[in-house]
Amino acid sequence: MAELDVPFSRIQDTLKRAVSALDEAEIPFLIGGSLASWARGGPNTTHDLDVIVKPEDAKRAQQALVAAGMRAEDPPESWLLKVWDGEVLIDLIFEPAGMTVDDELIARADLVNAAAMEFRVMAIEDGLNTKLNALNEHYLDFSSLLQIARAVREQVDWERLRERTAGSPYATAFFCLLDELGILDNAPTAAG
């Protein structure tokens, strides 16, 4: 089944169901991707829900969501599992680009209150790090990253993020865009 654009209200409903099921199963997880930035005031998403889990918890997380009435899908990729809640896709990511999912990553997460519930989201720099490290010559779409950067620029340690992604020419190009567009002109620096 191909990924679809769905109303944001459906993604919020799936978020609530997924958070409830994973909490009940006592599986540590983080919300990542575009929803993590949305929870901090970033743009809505119409694509999917990214849930970050440790590799050893991925299958159990998939089973917990299936037990909540969702449908599992075995993808060809080796870094995630998938679950469908109707037309909403949940990616259970256990090997995000440029990161290891471990207790340290989970401890850096932020507890947010959004959609009338509390849940943990990836630290903003971690989420942007994975998005920037996922860019390559076959997938080079800066549009959602630019929207996120504009919306949450005051919350990001941009100097640290630039250091963390220095090995990626695509991240370097993204930072060049941010500089040329003036998006970071008034963003706070690590020193101030």
CSV table of all heavy atoms in Angstrom, one decimal, residues 74-98:
chain,number,residue,atom,x,y,z
A,74,ASP,N,5.3,-5.8,6.5
A,74,ASP,CA,6.7,-6.0,6.5
A,74,ASP,C,7.4,-5.4,5.3
A,74,ASP,O,7.2,-5.8,4.2
A,74,ASP,CB,7.0,-7.5,6.5
A,74,ASP,CG,6.6,-8.2,7.8
A,74,ASP,OD1,6.7,-7.6,8.8
A,74,ASP,OD2,6.1,-9.4,7.7
A,75,PRO,N,8.1,-4.3,5.6
A,75,PRO,CA,8.7,-3.5,4.5
A,75,PRO,C,10.0,-4.1,4.0
A,75,PRO,O,10.6,-4.9,4.8
A,75,PRO,CB,9.0,-2.1,5.1
A,75,PRO,CG,9.2,-2.4,6.5
A,75,PRO,CD,8.3,-3.6,6.9
A,76,PRO,N,10.5,-3.8,2.9
A,76,PRO,CA,11.8,-4.3,2.4
A,76,PRO,C,13.0,-3.6,3.1
A,76,PRO,O,14.1,-4.2,3.2
A,76,PRO,CB,11.8,-4.0,0.9
A,76,PRO,CG,10.9,-2.8,0.7
A,76,PRO,CD,9.8,-3.0,1.8
A,77,GLU,N,12.7,-2.4,3.7
A,77,GLU,CA,13.8,-1.7,4.4
A,77,GLU,C,14.2,-2.4,5.7
A,77,GLU,O,13.3,-3.0,6.3
A,77,GLU,CB,13.4,-0.3,4.7
A,77,GLU,CG,13.0,0.6,3.5
A,77,GLU,CD,11.5,0.5,3.2
A,77,GLU,OE1,10.8,-0.3,3.7
A,77,GLU,OE2,11.1,1.3,2.3
A,78,SER,N,15.5,-2.3,6.0
A,78,SER,CA,15.9,-3.1,7.2
A,78,SER,C,16.0,-2.2,8.5
A,78,SER,O,16.4,-2.6,9.5
A,78,SER,CB,17.3,-3.7,6.9
A,78,SER,OG,18.2,-2.6,6.7
A,79,TRP,N,15.6,-0.9,8.4
A,79,TRP,CA,15.7,0.0,9.5
A,79,TRP,C,14.4,0.4,10.1
A,79,TRP,O,14.4,1.2,11.0
A,79,TRP,CB,16.5,1.3,9.0
A,79,TRP,CG,15.9,1.9,7.7
A,79,TRP,CD1,16.3,1.5,6.4
A,79,TRP,CD2,15.0,2.9,7.6
A,79,TRP,NE1,15.5,2.3,5.5
A,79,TRP,CE2,14.7,3.1,6.2
A,79,TRP,CE3,14.3,3.7,8.5
A,79,TRP,CZ2,13.8,4.1,5.8
A,79,TRP,CZ3,13.4,4.6,8.1
A,79,TRP,CH2,13.2,4.8,6.7
A,80,LEU,N,13.3,-0.2,9.7
A,80,LEU,CA,12.0,0.1,10.2
A,80,LEU,C,11.0,-1.0,10.0
A,80,LEU,O,11.2,-1.9,9.2
A,80,LEU,CB,11.4,1.4,9.6
A,80,LEU,CG,10.7,1.3,8.3
A,80,LEU,CD1,9.9,2.6,8.1
A,80,LEU,CD2,11.7,1.2,7.1
A,81,LEU,N,9.9,-0.9,10.8
A,81,LEU,CA,8.7,-1.8,10.6
A,81,LEU,C,7.6,-0.8,10.3
A,81,LEU,O,7.7,0.4,10.6
A,81,LEU,CB,8.4,-2.6,11.8
A,81,LEU,CG,9.5,-3.7,12.2
A,81,LEU,CD1,9.1,-4.3,13.5
A,81,LEU,CD2,9.7,-4.7,11.1
A,82,LYS,N,6.5,-1.3,9.7
A,82,LYS,CA,5.4,-0.5,9.4
A,82,LYS,C,4.1,-1.0,10.0
A,82,LYS,O,3.9,-2.3,10.1
A,82,LYS,CB,5.2,-0.3,7.9
A,82,LYS,CG,6.4,0.4,7.2
A,82,LYS,CD,6.2,0.5,5.7
A,82,LYS,CE,7.3,1.2,5.1
A,82,LYS,NZ,7.2,2.7,5.0
A,83,VAL,N,3.2,-0.1,10.3
A,83,VAL,CA,1.8,-0.5,10.8
A,83,VAL,C,0.9,0.5,10.1
A,83,VAL,O,1.2,1.7,10.0
A,83,VAL,CB,1.8,-0.4,12.3
A,83,VAL,CG1,0.4,-0.7,12.8
A,83,VAL,CG2,2.8,-1.3,13.0
A,84,TRP,N,-0.3,0.0,9.7
A,84,TRP,CA,-1.3,0.9,9.2
A,84,TRP,C,-2.5,1.0,10.1
A,84,TRP,O,-3.0,0.0,10.6
A,84,TRP,CB,-1.8,0.3,7.8
A,84,TRP,CG,-0.8,0.5,6.7
A,84,TRP,CD1,0.1,-0.4,6.4
A,84,TRP,CD2,-0.7,1.6,5.9
A,84,TRP,NE1,0.8,0.0,5.3
A,84,TRP,CE2,0.3,1.3,5.0
A,84,TRP,CE3,-1.4,2.8,5.7
A,84,TRP,CZ2,0.8,2.2,4.0
A,84,TRP,CZ3,-1.0,3.7,4.7
A,84,TRP,CH2,0.1,3.3,3.9
A,85,ASP,N,-2.9,2.2,10.4
A,85,ASP,CA,-4.2,2.5,11.2
A,85,ASP,C,-5.1,3.0,10.1
A,85,ASP,O,-5.2,4.3,9.9
A,85,ASP,CB,-3.9,3.4,12.3
A,85,ASP,CG,-5.2,3.7,13.1
A,85,ASP,OD1,-6.1,2.9,13.1
A,85,ASP,OD2,-5.2,4.8,13.7
A,86,GLY,N,-5.9,2.2,9.5
A,86,GLY,CA,-6.7,2.6,8.4
A,86,GLY,C,-5.8,3.1,7.3
A,86,GLY,O,-4.9,2.4,6.8
A,87,GLU,N,-6.0,4.4,6.9
A,87,GLU,CA,-5.1,5.0,5.8
A,87,GLU,C,-3.9,5.7,6.4
A,87,GLU,O,-3.1,6.3,5.6
A,87,GLU,CB,-5.9,5.9,4.9
A,87,GLU,CG,-6.3,7.2,5.6
A,87,GLU,CD,-7.6,7.2,6.4
A,87,GLU,OE1,-8.0,6.2,6.8
A,87,GLU,OE2,-8.0,8.3,6.7
A,88,VAL,N,-3.7,5.7,7.7
A,88,VAL,CA,-2.5,6.4,8.3
A,88,VAL,C,-1.4,5.4,8.5
A,88,VAL,O,-1.6,4.3,9.1
A,88,VAL,CB,-2.9,7.0,9.6
A,88,VAL,CG1,-1.7,7.7,10.2
A,88,VAL,CG2,-4.0,8.1,9.4
A,89,LEU,N,-0.2,5.7,8.0
A,89,LEU,CA,0.9,4.8,8.1
A,89,LEU,C,1.7,5.2,9.3
A,89,LEU,O,2.0,6.4,9.6
A,89,LEU,CB,1.8,5.0,6.8
A,89,LEU,CG,3.2,4.3,6.9
A,89,LEU,CD1,3.0,2.8,7.0
A,89,LEU,CD2,4.0,4.7,5.7
A,90,ILE,N,2.1,4.3,10.1
A,90,ILE,CA,3.0,4.5,11.2
A,90,ILE,C,4.3,3.8,10.9
A,90,ILE,O,4.4,2.6,10.6
A,90,ILE,CB,2.5,3.9,12.5
A,90,ILE,CG1,1.2,4.5,12.9
A,90,ILE,CG2,3.5,4.0,13.7
A,90,ILE,CD1,0.5,3.8,14.1
A,91,ASP,N,5.4,4.5,10.8
A,91,ASP,CA,6.8,4.0,10.6
A,91,ASP,C,7.4,3.8,12.0
A,91,ASP,O,7.5,4.7,12.8
A,91,ASP,CB,7.7,4.9,9.8
A,91,ASP,CG,7.3,4.9,8.4
A,91,ASP,OD1,6.8,3.9,7.9
A,91,ASP,OD2,7.6,5.9,7.7
A,92,LEU,N,7.7,2.5,12.4
A,92,LEU,CA,8.4,2.2,13.6
A,92,LEU,C,9.9,2.2,13.3
A,92,LEU,O,10.4,1.2,12.8
A,92,LEU,CB,7.9,0.9,14.2
A,92,LEU,CG,6.5,0.8,14.6
A,92,LEU,CD1,6.0,-0.6,14.9
A,92,LEU,CD2,6.3,1.7,15.9
A,93,ILE,N,10.6,3.3,13.5
A,93,ILE,CA,12.0,3.4,13.1
A,93,ILE,C,12.9,3.1,14.2
A,93,ILE,O,12.8,3.6,15.3
A,93,ILE,CB,12.2,4.9,12.7
A,93,ILE,CG1,11.3,5.2,11.5
A,93,ILE,CG2,13.7,5.1,12.3
A,93,ILE,CD1,11.2,6.7,11.1
A,94,PHE,N,13.8,2.1,14.0
A,94,PHE,CA,14.7,1.7,15.0
A,94,PHE,C,16.2,1.9,14.6
A,94,PHE,O,17.1,1.8,15.4
A,94,PHE,CB,14.5,0.2,15.4
A,94,PHE,CG,14.5,-0.8,14.3
A,94,PHE,CD1,15.6,-1.3,13.8
A,94,PHE,CD2,13.3,-1.1,13.7
A,94,PHE,CE1,15.6,-2.2,12.7
A,94,PHE,CE2,13.2,-2.0,12.6
A,94,PHE,CZ,14.4,-2.6,12.1
A,95,GLU,N,16.4,2.4,13.4
A,95,GLU,CA,17.7,2.8,12.9
A,95,GLU,C,17.6,4.0,12.1
A,95,GLU,O,17.8,4.0,10.9
A,95,GLU,CB,18.4,1.6,12.1
A,95,GLU,CG,18.8,0.4,12.9
A,95,GLU,CD,19.5,-0.7,12.1
A,95,GLU,OE1,19.8,-0.4,10.9
A,95,GLU,OE2,19.6,-1.8,12.6
A,96,PRO,N,17.3,5.2,12.7
A,96,PRO,CA,17.2,6.4,11.9
A,96,PRO,C,18.6,6.8,11.4
A,96,PRO,O,19.6,6.5,11.9
A,96,PRO,CB,16.7,7.4,12.9
A,96,PRO,CG,17.1,6.9,14.3
A,96,PRO,CD,17.1,5.4,14.1
A,97,ALA,N,18.6,7.5,10.3
A,97,ALA,CA,19.8,8.0,9.6
A,97,ALA,C,20.7,8.8,10.5
A,97,ALA,O,20.2,9.8,11.1
A,97,ALA,CB,19.4,8.8,8.4
A,98,GLY,N,21.9,8.4,10.7
A,98,GLY,CA,22.9,9.1,11.5
A,98,GLY,C,22.8,9.0,13.0
A,98,GLY,O,23.4,9.7,13.7
